[in-house]
């Protein structure tokens, strides 16, 4: 207990809940759900940037949290961040963390200085995390903060900026490999545009694909065995982001023959910004074979930007975990809380409550999703709804053996088909889902 005023958070059943006490009421790490412990099913991770770097500043006001953790010079501050990160992860019982290169080491005057900082501080961070048994879920490069990237990084109009971005990705990959990372993320922060009046869209997208293929080639060359991910987001900071949503990214990857090399990191708040549900984005990734990892957070129904709230919506978490189960569970991926406490929650210890909230929400969601799967009613409903595809004309169409002429003859012979159309029973099914959430213990 140095940076945070809390002992390790443990599970306590909801019946024993006491006012004001910090405890998990749903996340019971060793409890077995569908054959695996909750710890293994959920693979929770800390986002280094929100948790140990960002100080709750917003567009209209400065930071309200001090995250120098007692350090004074830059190197000391980042070493203290690493110590604080390990302590925090022990407190909330997190096994994994995720970072951008610039979260763990400050930029120097030149790229060479910056790389030296990164070498020194990633060695330090690696030591601290190894000592505490913590693992790197994924690393990434921050290609959006520095003014050099104002027009893009992999999609910059300037080839020099592109080269600089490539150098940064190269180094971030090396650090990720050194720290044993299971994944490497590309979120295209500035990879988009504000106006086509000054933009060569075709060239920008081709260049992005070039950067991605070079990164894959280099990563594999230096021994990276984990997954490469793209994290879709439709807007913010740019008006049009190229990686709009899962379907757009899949189309892009297919066009540039990168589908074999990438999976998706789906963020809840990005899904809703794109006008989709979280589940839609997860399902799109799953049915296309590219489900990878999750940035667990929540947007606000009334606000049109990436509010990155800690998730409290058990309903959404249930549908999310249903998709994770259908995808066969996480392999290299996990649930990273790309989330921040509200600015008015102005104590560092509020972050503990944020993670407890998020972890309990997903633990409850996992339990409810497991009930839905074990109960089988929803799956049976869907199979039954599509039963006509297993025999007769349906099977013939699926087998590719039907022609337009034959279908026309069939329809003429069949006459009215409205009698075969049955209710989708949406409200009944929604009630089933609610019941499974309420049934959890
Ligand atoms: C921003 C993104 C970012 C990525 C990592 O909206 O969610 O935090 O997860 O670069
Ligand atoms: Ni994210
Ligand atoms: Ni985001």
């Amino acid at each position: 207990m140095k940076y945070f005023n809390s002992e390790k958070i443990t599970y306590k059943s909801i019946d024993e809940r006491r006012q004001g006490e910090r405890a998990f009421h749903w996340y019971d790490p060793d409890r077995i759900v569908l054959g695996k412990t909750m710890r293994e099913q959920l693979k929770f991770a800390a986002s280094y940037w929100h948790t140990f770097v960002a100080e709750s500043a917003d567009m209209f006001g400065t930071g309200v949290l001090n995250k120098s953790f007692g350090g004074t010079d830059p190197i000391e501050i980042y070493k203290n961040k690493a110590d604080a990160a390990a302590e925090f992860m022990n407190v909330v019982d997190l096994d994994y963390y995720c970072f951008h290169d610039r979260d763990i080491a400050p930029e120097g005057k030149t790229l060479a200085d910056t790389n030296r900082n990164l070498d020194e501080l990633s060695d330090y961070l690696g030591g601290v995390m190894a000592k505490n048994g913590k693992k790197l879920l994924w690393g990434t490069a921050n290609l959006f903060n520095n003014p050099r990237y104002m027009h893009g990084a992999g999609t910059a109009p300037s080839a020099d900026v592109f080269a600089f971005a490539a150098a940064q990705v190269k180094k971030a990959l090396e650090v990720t490999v050194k720290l044993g990372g299971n994944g490497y993320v590309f979120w295209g922060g500035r990879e988009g545009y504000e106006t086509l009046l000054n933009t060569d869209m075709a060239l920008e997208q081709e260049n992005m694909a070039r950067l991605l293929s070079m990164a894959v080639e280099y990563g594999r060359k230096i021994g990276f065995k984990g997954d490469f991910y793209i994290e879709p987001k439709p807007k913010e900071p740019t008006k049009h982001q190229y990686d709009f949503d899962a379907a757009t990214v899949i189309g892009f990857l297919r066009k540039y023959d990168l589908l074999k090399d990438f999976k998706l990191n789906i963020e809840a708040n990005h899904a809703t910004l794109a006008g989709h549900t979280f589940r839609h984005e997860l399902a799109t990734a799953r049915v296309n074979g590219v489900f990878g990892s999750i940035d667990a957070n929540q947007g606000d129904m009334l606000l049109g930007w990436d509010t990155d709230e800690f998730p409290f919506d058990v309903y959404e978490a249930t549908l999310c975990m249903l998709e994770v189960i259908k995808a066969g569970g996480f392999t290299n991926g996990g649930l990273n809380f790309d989330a921040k406490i509200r600015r008015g929650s102005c104590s560092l210890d509020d972050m503990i409550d944020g993670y407890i909230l998020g972890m309990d929400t997903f633990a409850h969601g996992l339990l409810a999703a497991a009930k839905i799967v074990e109960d089988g009613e929803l799956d049976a409903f869907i199979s039954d709804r599509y039963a006509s595809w297993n025999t007769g004309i349906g099977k013939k169409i699926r087998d590719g053996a039907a022609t337009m002429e034959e279908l026309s003859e069939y329809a003429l012979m069949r006459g009215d088909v409205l009698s075969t159309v049955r209710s989708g029973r949406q409200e009944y099914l929604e009630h089933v889902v609610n019941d499974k959430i309420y049934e959890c213990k």
Side-chain angles (χ1 to χ4, degrees):
M1 248 177 50
K2 186 167 175 209
Y3 300 107
F4 301 94
N5 293 308
S6 177
E7 300 297 337
K8 183 173 174 178
I9 308 297
T10 53
Y11 170 79
K12 196 170 198 184
S13 88
I14 195 138
D15 303 326
E16 299 166 292
R17 180 184 184 281
R18 280 212 226 100
Q19 279 187 15
E21 191 180 55
R22 289 190 167 117
F24 296 120
H25 300 131
W26 298 93
Y27 184 53
D28 186 0
D30 298 324
R31 175 169 172 187
I32 306 285
V33 181
L34 297 177
K36 284 197 270 179
T37 63
M38 287 185 119
R39 186 185 288 284
E40 292 163 331
Q41 292 277 21
L42 291 161
K43 293 184 70 182
F44 289 131
S47 56
Y48 214 92
W49 53 103
H50 281 308
T51 318
F52 312 115
V53 181
E55 301 190 323
S56 285
D58 70 13
M59 307 267 273
F60 302 95
T62 53
V64 295
L65 295 172
N66 183 340
K67 293 194 181 163
S68 39
F69 298 105
T72 43
D73 73 85
I75 297 294
E76 190 195 6
I77 289 173
Y78 282 82
K79 285 188 174 167
N80 291 2
K81 281 187 197 301
D83 294 335
E87 183 188 322
F88 183 83
M89 290 170 70
N90 285 330
V91 168
V92 292
D93 203 358
L94 293 164
D95 296 329
Y96 296 91
Y97 64 106
C98 305
F99 64 74
H100 304 83
D101 47 0
R102 302 302 175 246
D103 301 334
I104 64 167
E107 277 202 79
K109 280 209 182 66
T110 64
L111 181 60
D113 290 342
T114 305
N115 286 348
R116 261 191 300 275
N117 288 346
L118 200 51
D119 285 336
E120 180 183 349
L121 287 157
S122 58
D123 280 344
Y124 185 84
L125 177 67
V128 170
M129 291 299 169
K131 206 165 79 199
N132 287 276
K134 306 300 181 195
K135 291 164 276 189
L136 179 60
L137 189 69
W138 51 259
T140 185
N142 179 327
L143 303 178
F144 43 89
N145 212 279
N146 191 290
R148 74 175 68 87
Y149 297 126
M150 68 175 77
H151 301 301
T155 63
S158 150
D160 280 358
V161 172
F162 179 98
F164 201 103
Q168 210 182 311
V169 170
K170 174 178 178 287
K171 188 74 189 170
L173 273 166
E174 290 162 7
V175 171
T176 300
V177 170
K178 182 172 82 180
L179 298 184
N182 293 320
Y184 186 88
V185 166
F186 284 89
W187 167 59
R190 304 268 170 202
E191 315 299 12
Y193 65 90
E194 292 298 321
T195 173
L196 284 174
L197 295 176
N198 62 17
T199 302
D200 183 338
M201 190 199 251
L203 180 62
E204 291 202 354
Q205 295 208 8
E206 283 160 21
N207 285 343
M208 192 65 221
R210 288 184 182 105
L211 180 64
L212 296 177
S213 7
M214 285 190 279
V216 169
E217 197 186 325
Y218 184 70
R220 295 307 179 209
K221 190 163 107 190
I222 62 168
F224 177 61
K225 303 248 162 18
D227 288 336
F228 284 97
Y229 305 113
I230 307 261
E231 181 178 324
K233 182 175 183 180
K235 54 190 167 213
E236 194 202 16
T238 67
K239 181 156 101 178
H240 297 277
Q241 304 252 151
Y242 292 130
D243 296 336
F244 189 93
D245 62 1
T248 309
V249 170
I250 289 165
F252 170 87
L253 291 172
R254 187 170 284 130
K255 174 172 179 189
Y256 292 102
D257 197 24
L258 288 163
L259 205 49
K260 58 190 185 317
D261 300 314
F262 282 86
K263 292 182 177 169
L264 302 189
N265 181 42
I266 300 293
E267 177 165 321
N269 205 160
H270 297 180
T272 48
L273 278 181
H276 299 305
T277 60
F278 187 17
R279 185 176 185 192
H280 168 87
E281 287 294 88
L282 292 163
T284 301
R286 174 174 64 79
V287 303
N288 285 284
V290 290
F291 168 74
S293 203
I294 290 177
D295 270 11
N297 60 14
Q298 188 177 307
D300 188 296
M301 207 205 322
L302 306 179
L303 303 175
W305 61 92
D306 202 12
T307 59
D308 286 345
E309 289 166 47
F310 277 95
F312 58 77
D313 189 331
V314 179
Y315 193 86
E316 290 296 319
T318 299
L319 299 180
C320 165
M321 290 316 297
L322 195 55
E323 282 302 322
V324 175
I325 293 168
K326 281 180 186 290
F330 291 116
T331 49
N332 282 323
L335 274 167
N336 163 51
F337 287 103
D338 194 351
K340 60 185 178 196
I341 52 177
R342 299 303 89 193
R343 190 164 182 263
S345 300
C346 57
S347 145
L348 283 181
D349 292 332
D350 287 321
M351 299 197 306
I352 299 172
D353 293 309
Y355 276 83
I356 293 174
L357 170 67
M359 291 162 80
D360 255 0
T361 300
F362 274 86
H364 193 161
L366 169 65
L367 291 172
K371 276 193 177 296
I372 291 171
V373 170
E374 280 167 343
D375 168 272
E377 188 177 358
L378 292 193
D379 279 340
F381 186 91
I382 292 177
S383 305
D384 190 45
R385 191 169 185 232
Y386 292 88
S388 67
W389 293 93
N390 299 330
T391 54
I393 195 71
K395 179 155 189 315
K396 205 161 185 197
I397 300 169
R398 279 181 93 175
D399 291 345
T403 62
M404 293 301 273
E405 292 91 328
E406 192 183 348
L407 291 179
S408 170
E409 266 169 44
Y410 179 84
L412 286 167
M413 179 268 293
R414 206 53 196 79
D416 176 39
V417 294
L418 180 59
S419 61
T420 69
V421 177
R422 285 187 282 159
S423 168
R425 302 201 68 195
Q426 183 170 338
E427 295 72 18
Y428 171 74
L429 298 170
E430 285 166 346
H431 191 196
V432 172
V433 172
N434 275 3
D435 282 348
K436 296 299 160 206
I437 293 171
Y438 299 137
E439 274 169 27
C440 291
K441 278 202 191 74

